[in-house]
Amino acid sequence: AIDGELRELIFRRLSTAPWLPAADGPDLVPERAHVLADATEELAAVLLDVVPNLVDATLSGARHASALSAVGVHRIGLARLAEMLGGQAREPAWWRRLYDALTPLVVDGVAAEELAALPVPLADGRTVTGPRTTVVGSDASAEVTWVRLVHPDAVSPLLIRLGAREATAAELLSDPALEAALDDLDWDGDEVDGLVSAVLALAGEAGELPGWLGSLPLEDDEGELRSADELLLPGAPLARLLVRDSPFGVLSAASVARFGKRALRAVGVGWGFSVVRDECPTGPDHDLDDEPAWWSSLATEPETLVAVRDLDLVRSGAWAEALTILLDEPSTRAAMTDRDGYTAWWLRRHALIDNQAGSSSR
């Protein structure tokens, strides 16, 4: 009985006296202190002003857990830490240091699940709950707003382990959310420049892109906004082949200087002839000249459509040069070599060489 009473008095004194080593500053009173399970010194240093009265990291392992619990120290797990981090207003680089310091603690699926509510800063300035709804891109994607893009300064391998999706430039530019954003875009609104900049920052490194990016609004040489696929680059060889009332405009020189020809061509601004691609065509609905007649001439519906567009806009006296340009460009040359395809079919019937149609079939 005396031993029990003495033991209780000792624990009471130990719980209320300042003697426990802190992660930073003077010794702590155990019953007011917190210990983060298995914390490293790096993690403790990041969390000093997040977790109050944090115990020194050297005491955070399982070896000391029972003793600390006996004197009233509050033990914090990963799930509780994620809750405490909610609402924190921090720079993205701080979050990156936190994620890197947390990485050694995520040893299994249970630990990953406990961090499901970990806050993540986005490139657009917001902070969201949970890595699973976010996307990790490249440095060029910093201006993306149509997905929950992680701020470049906060990117850490831990976020991928916790469910963030890695996305290439091509994947970001093929995202249905971007298509919806372009459909809903108010061309008179302030958000136009930001969206255009974000798309073209990625377009130069993305490779083949969906045709609907041609609706991206760009400034022509008269200062008006037009869809990218209705514009030609200054000096484009296609311009001298077209009929006088062609619907094409010329892109402003300032846009070329700002974004570069490669990115602009990737979203549909013309230089030579453009190619329409559809992996699963369902009918003659691609806005190609005389397309229904070609479609009805086929024995079976095509599995893939690859067709040169705007052939009907070529001046009658410019076909010799037009065919040269078509053959010089690999994508248009490939469309011409499919004798059952739309391009070869149209040229056999409509292209004029020496005022005769069908000469192109030779």
Side-chain angles (χ1 to χ4, degrees):
I2 294 173
D3 287 346
E5 186 175 347
L6 179 60
R7 185 181 185 86
E8 184 179 345
L9 290 170
I10 291 172
F11 280 132
R12 189 181 305 163
R13 177 63 62 87
L14 289 174
S15 298
T16 58
W19 62 270
L20 189 62
D24 185 57
D27 289 344
L28 302 173
V29 174
E31 67 179 11
R32 302 174 190 168
H34 297 83
V35 62
L36 180 61
D38 300 317
T40 62
E41 292 184 5
E42 291 78 12
L43 180 56
V46 177
L47 295 174
L48 284 176
D49 54 352
V50 176
V51 180
N53 301 320
L54 186 61
V55 173
D56 188 274
T58 59
L59 302 175
S60 67
R63 174 186 174 189
H64 303 290
S66 295
L68 294 177
S69 177
V71 293
V73 176
H74 304 281
R75 195 167 183 83
I76 299 173
L78 294 177
R80 174 59 181 148
L81 177 62
E83 291 178 12
M84 295 176 72
L85 289 165
Q88 291 286 326
R90 305 284 178 158
E91 293 296 320
W94 183 90
W95 289 104
R96 168 64 187 260
R97 291 196 302 274
L98 172 67
Y99 302 148
D100 289 347
L102 280 170
T103 298
L105 277 63
V106 184
V107 295
D108 54 27
V110 174
E113 190 62 34
E114 288 183 323
L115 289 174
L118 192 66
V120 182
L122 303 184
D124 63 8
R126 294 179 296 155
T127 299
V128 297
T129 300
R132 291 176 184 170
T133 64
T134 64
V135 174
V136 174
S138 65
D139 290 342
S141 61
E143 298 181 70
V144 167
T145 57
W146 55 90
V147 296
R148 289 184 162 189
L149 186 77
V150 178
H151 194 288
D153 293 341
V155 172
S156 167
L158 178 64
L159 295 177
I160 307 300
R161 292 174 60 184
L162 297 180
R165 176 172 63 91
E166 290 185 281
T168 64
E171 289 169 338
L172 287 171
L173 292 177
S174 301
D175 196 297
L178 174 57
E179 184 176 14
L182 285 173
D183 288 341
D184 297 338
L185 184 64
D186 178 6
W187 283 25
D188 295 322
D190 296 333
E191 66 274 16
V192 171
D193 187 70
L195 184 63
V196 169
S197 297
V199 169
L200 291 174
L202 294 169
E205 62 181 56
E208 187 174 330
L209 296 174
W212 46 259
L213 277 175
S215 64
L216 190 72
L218 297 171
E219 189 177 83
D220 66 13
D221 58 359
E222 296 181 354
E224 299 294 328
L225 288 179
R226 300 185 63 174
S227 295
D229 58 8
E230 296 177 355
L231 292 166
L232 300 176
L233 287 167
L238 182 60
R240 62 178 179 267
L241 306 179
L242 301 180
V243 294
R244 180 171 299 179
D245 59 350
S246 159
F248 285 100
V250 177
L251 186 70
S252 69
S255 296
V256 179
R258 180 181 176 187
F259 301 115
K261 292 182 179 180
R262 180 176 178 179
L264 291 164
R265 291 191 64 182
V267 298
V269 178
W271 178 256
F273 289 94
S274 297
V275 175
V276 175
R277 290 181 174 83
D278 187 349
E279 297 298 329
C280 300
T282 58
D285 53 4
H286 302 85
D287 199 26
L288 299 167
D289 180 62
D290 214 10
E291 185 182 3
W294 165 71
W295 191 276
S296 64
S297 72
L298 299 173
T300 59
E301 294 186 354
E303 295 182 3
T304 302
L305 181 142
V306 180
V308 178
R309 71 172 205 181
D310 304 320
L311 294 172
D312 56 311
L313 299 180
V314 177
R315 290 184 291 106
S316 58
W319 270 108
E321 185 177 359
L323 290 172
T324 299
I325 292 175
L326 286 167
L327 291 169
D328 284 344
E329 174 63 36
S331 60
T332 53
R333 182 170 64 247
M336 293 176 67
T337 58
D338 179 7
R339 293 190 59 81
D340 293 327
Y342 167 83
T343 306
W345 178 91
W346 194 96
L347 290 172
R348 288 194 296 268
R349 283 158 178 76
H350 301 290
L352 297 175
I353 303 295
D354 297 330
N355 292 321
Q356 295 185 18
S359 299
S360 60
S361 64
R362 298 196 297 269

